[in-house]
Amino acid sequence: MLRSFRRVFRALFLLSLLALPTVVAAHEGHDDAPPPTAGPAPVPTLEATGSDVELVAVLKAGHLILYLDRYATNEPVVGADVSVSIDGGAEVRPEALPDGSYLLEAEDLRGPVHELVVTVATGDVSDLLIGSLAVPAEAADADDDHAPVLPGWPLLLAAFAAGAVAAALLAALAGRRRSAALTAVLLLGAVLLASLPAAAHEGHDHGDEGPVQALPDQPRRQPDGSLFVPKRTQRLLGVRTVPAEIVQARRSHSLVGRVIADPNASGRVQASEVGRVEAPEGGLPYVGQRVEAGQVLAYIVPAIAARERGTLSEQMAAIDKEIVVARQQLDRLSRLKGTVAQKEIDDAKAVLAGLQRQKKALSPVLEVREPLRAPVSGIIAAADAVPGQVIDDRDQTVLFEIVDPARLLVEAIAFDPVSAQDIVAATATGDDGAVLKLGLLGTGPARRGQAVPLLFRVEAGGEGEHPGTPVSVQVASSTPVEGIVLPREAVVRGPAGLPVVWEHVSPQRFEPRTVRYRPLDGASVLIEAGLDPGGRIVTQGATLLTQVR
C-alpha cells in the first residue's frame, strides 16, 4: 500500500514540475529579434559650384577624389592645372586619372570638418571653388549574436525551493537512497527545462537580419521624384546639359511624307520582246552593286517557234543564194567595164547591197541577242532576273531598278493650303532618327485626296535612305515664335507617360519638369510651357536617367 502511494506521489510531482510556466524571451507586443544593423556609413562628400566649374569631392579609403565638370555643359574638365589647399595649408596638386577625375592622398582627414580651396585653370576655364568637407564618425557595428535571456532570479528561487521540499518529502516517504536520487534528477531536469527560453508568441518572430540599406553613393530616385546621381555615374552615362534660354524661332508644322527616287536619276530595265534571259560576262548584277549608264546588265535571246524558225531559215538560204548570184553578176560586169554601160554595173551593186541588208535584218532574229543596258548610272535597287528566265509578250516584269542615292526626293502632303504656301525651311526625320535637310521644289496645283502635294529635294543627310521610306517632314513658316529650344533627345516620357525634361539643379541631383512642346525641325523642339529659363537641361543621357529607380 505504501509503495503504491509513493509511486503515485512521484508521478504527480513530476507532472506538476513539467506544468510550471517556462520563461519566455519575448513578451506580448515585443520580439527578440536583434536590433536592425546600422546602414553603411555615409560617404563624405563636398559639392561646390563656381562661375564656370562644378566640383564634387569624395573621400574614400584615405583618398580624396575630385570631379571637375563645366557648369554649363557638364563636360569633364580634363588636363587642367588643379591645386588643393586643405584647412589653409600648402597647396597640393592632385594626380590626374584617365577617367578625367583627380586623386589626392588624404589619410590625415580625421577631423569633423575641413575647409577646402580648389583652384582650376585651363585653356578657356579659370575658377576658384571653396567648400567644407564633413567627415562623420563611423558607426560601431552592432553585435549579431544575442544570448538568450535567462529567467529572473525570483522564479528560479521559487522553483528550487519547491523542488527541495518535494524532494525531502519523497525521501522521507521512500526511505531509500535510490528513490531520493531519482527524485533529485527529475527535479534538476525540470528546473533546467524551465530555464530555457520559449519561442516567440504568435505575431512575433526572431528575425536575424536587419533591413537592407541602399549604398549612399549609388544612383537612386528620391521620394519627391528627383534623382540622386553621383558624378561617377554621370560620366558613365555621358550626361550632358545646355542652359535653357529664350530664343526666337519660326513656327513649324508636321507633315507626312515618303522618300522617292529622282525620275531624272533613276530608271527601270525591262525586256522589249519575248525571249530568254542570259547573263553577260561577269554575271548578272546584284542588289547594291553600282552600274554605269550603258553597261550591259543582261541579254535577251529571242524566243522563236519551230515553224517560224524553219521559215526564217528558208528565207535566209534563199537570200544567201541570191547574194551569190548577185556577186557573180557584179564581178562579170566589172570585168567588162568599158564594154557595158556603167548603169548596169551600178544596178548590180545596188542589188547586192540590198540583199546583204536583207540578210542583216533577218540574222538577229536567229543569232543576235538583245542587250539590256543601264539607262542611268546608280545603284541596283531591285533585281528580278535569273539565267534562263523566259519573258513572254504579256510579262511586264521589271528586271532591274536603278537609283542614284545622291539624288533623292521627298514627297509630302499638306491639308492646309495656306501653310503649304508659306514654307521657308524644311527637314525630314526617318524611323532611324536620321535628319534630312530639304529644299522645296514645288507645290502641286491639283489636290490629292483633299491635300496639297509638296515635293522636296534632299540636300543633305540622305545617305542610307531608300525610296519608299516613310518620313516625318517638319516645315518652318515665316511666322516668328519665342520659347526655349532644346534638342529632341532632351524630351522623354516620364513614369506617368507625360513628356518631361531633366533639370540639373545641383552637382548630383536632377529634377523632372513636365513640359508642353512642339517640334521645330527634325533635330530640335520648342518648349512652350513647364520650363523656366536659366536652368540646365539634360540633352544627352536623359533616357538613361529615366531608368533610375
Side-chain angles (χ1 to χ4, degrees):
M1 182 67 179
L2 183 59
R3 181 177 300 176
S4 300
F5 175 78
R6 286 199 300 266
R7 291 178 179 176
V8 173
F9 184 83
R10 281 200 298 266
L12 293 175
F13 173 72
L14 179 60
L15 291 176
S16 64
L17 289 180
L18 293 177
L20 287 175
T22 58
V23 180
V24 295
H27 303 288
E28 183 179 359
H30 302 80
D31 59 45
D32 59 345
T37 58
V43 178
T45 304
L46 178 149
E47 296 183 357
T49 301
S51 58
D52 298 324
V53 178
E54 197 172 55
L55 166 67
V56 173
V58 179
L59 181 62
K60 277 188 177 182
H63 296 86
L64 189 64
I65 305 175
L66 305 177
Y67 296 96
L68 297 171
D69 297 318
R70 297 178 185 270
Y71 178 79
T73 63
N74 203 46
E75 295 178 349
V77 179
V78 182
D81 185 9
V82 182
S83 61
V84 181
S85 175
I86 302 177
D87 295 332
E91 292 186 351
V92 182
R93 299 188 181 278
E95 175 188 358
L97 299 180
D99 62 351
S101 59
Y102 300 85
L103 182 65
L104 182 66
E105 296 290 340
E107 296 182 356
D108 298 334
L109 294 181
R110 301 294 183 182
V113 179
H114 299 275
E115 297 295 331
L116 271 68
V117 178
V118 180
T119 304
V120 183
T122 183
D124 57 344
V125 172
S126 179
D127 211 338
L128 178 67
L129 302 109
I130 302 175
S132 299
L133 178 65
V135 184
E138 297 182 355
D141 295 334
D143 188 4
D144 292 334
D145 297 328
H146 295 272
V149 180
L150 294 178
W153 65 268
L155 184 59
L156 285 178
L157 183 59
F160 180 79
V165 173
L169 291 175
L170 283 176
L173 293 174
R176 295 182 181 180
R177 294 182 179 179
R178 186 171 57 183
S179 299
L182 178 60
T183 303
V185 171
L186 292 176
L187 175 62
L188 180 60
V191 172
L192 291 178
L193 181 63
S195 65
L196 294 178
H201 302 293
E202 183 179 358
H204 307 279
D205 58 11
H206 298 267
D208 56 353
E209 294 183 0
V212 178
Q213 300 289 336
L215 296 179
D217 59 345
Q218 294 296 321
R220 58 186 178 273
R221 188 179 294 270
Q222 305 289 0
D224 60 353
S226 63
L227 301 180
F228 171 78
V229 184
K231 276 295 181 182
R232 177 175 56 87
T233 305
Q234 294 181 33
R235 296 192 175 185
L236 289 176
L237 301 181
V239 177
R240 297 292 182 267
T241 61
V242 296
E245 300 176 351
I246 298 292
V247 297
Q248 192 174 63
R250 296 188 180 97
R251 186 177 298 277
S252 63
H253 306 276
S254 180
L255 307 176
V256 177
R258 65 186 181 96
V259 179
I260 62 175
D262 188 341
N264 297 317
S266 62
R268 295 178 178 178
V269 179
Q270 294 176 284
S272 59
E273 61 177 327
V274 178
R276 186 180 69 256
V277 177
E278 282 191 0
E281 295 182 3
L284 295 172
Y286 49 84
V287 174
Q289 179 178 342
R290 182 167 186 85
V291 296
E292 301 298 331
Q295 179 179 338
V296 177
L297 306 181
Y299 288 103
I300 297 295
V301 178
I304 304 175
R307 180 178 299 178
E308 294 179 358
R309 184 178 294 276
T311 302
L312 290 174
S313 298
E314 183 180 354
Q315 292 178 1
M316 289 290 294
I319 292 175
D320 288 339
K321 178 181 177 182
E322 293 178 3
I323 289 176
V324 172
V325 173
R327 184 175 288 112
Q328 292 175 353
Q329 180 68 16
L330 178 60
D331 292 342
R332 185 168 53 254
L333 293 176
S334 297
R335 288 194 299 268
L336 298 175
K337 187 176 182 180
T339 305
V340 298
Q342 183 65 32
K343 180 178 179 301
E344 294 182 8
I345 298 176
D346 294 340
D347 291 343
K349 289 181 178 180
V351 171
L352 179 60
L355 292 173
Q356 290 175 343
R357 287 194 299 270
Q358 187 176 359
K359 179 181 179 180
K360 185 178 180 180
L362 292 176
S363 295
V365 179
L366 296 175
E367 301 175 0
V368 179
R369 302 173 299 178
E370 177 192 3
L372 300 181
R373 301 182 182 275
V376 294
S377 299
I379 304 296
I380 299 293
D384 192 17
V386 293
Q389 179 180 355
V390 176
I391 308 297
D392 58 27
D393 55 353
R394 295 171 298 177
D395 195 350
Q396 301 296 325
T397 302
V398 177
L399 299 180
F400 301 99
E401 188 171 353
I402 304 172
V403 175
D404 187 355
R407 299 175 61 180
L408 297 176
L409 304 178
V410 171
E411 185 182 39
I413 54 175
F415 291 93
D416 184 6
V418 177
S419 62
Q421 301 299 327
D422 184 18
I423 298 177
V424 296
T427 58
T429 307
D431 294 337
D432 57 353
V435 179
L436 287 68
K437 183 180 179 182
L438 306 179
L440 181 64
L441 288 179
T443 303
R447 294 198 176 189
R448 185 186 305 169
Q450 302 300 322
V452 178
L454 303 174
L455 191 62
F456 301 88
R457 180 181 300 280
V458 179
E459 297 179 348
E463 298 81 4
E465 297 296 333
H466 304 282
T469 302
V471 293
S472 176
V473 181
Q474 303 294 330
V475 294
S477 65
S478 59
T479 305
V481 292
E482 287 188 350
I484 299 175
V485 177
L486 295 175
R488 186 183 59 177
E489 295 79 9
V491 181
V492 296
R493 291 292 174 182
L498 299 176
V500 300
V501 297
W502 290 102
E503 183 176 354
H504 196 186
V505 295
S506 67
Q508 300 186 111
R509 187 165 171 265
F510 298 83
E511 291 185 357
R513 300 283 186 260
T514 303
V515 297
R516 185 178 74 247
Y517 73 99
R518 65 185 308 166
L520 274 183
D521 51 40
S524 57
V525 297
L526 178 69
I527 304 299
E528 297 180 327
L531 186 62
D532 297 328
R536 295 175 296 164
I537 307 303
V538 176
T539 59
Q540 182 177 333
T543 304
L544 299 176
L545 290 180
T546 308
Q547 307 303 321
V548 176
R549 294 292 182 266

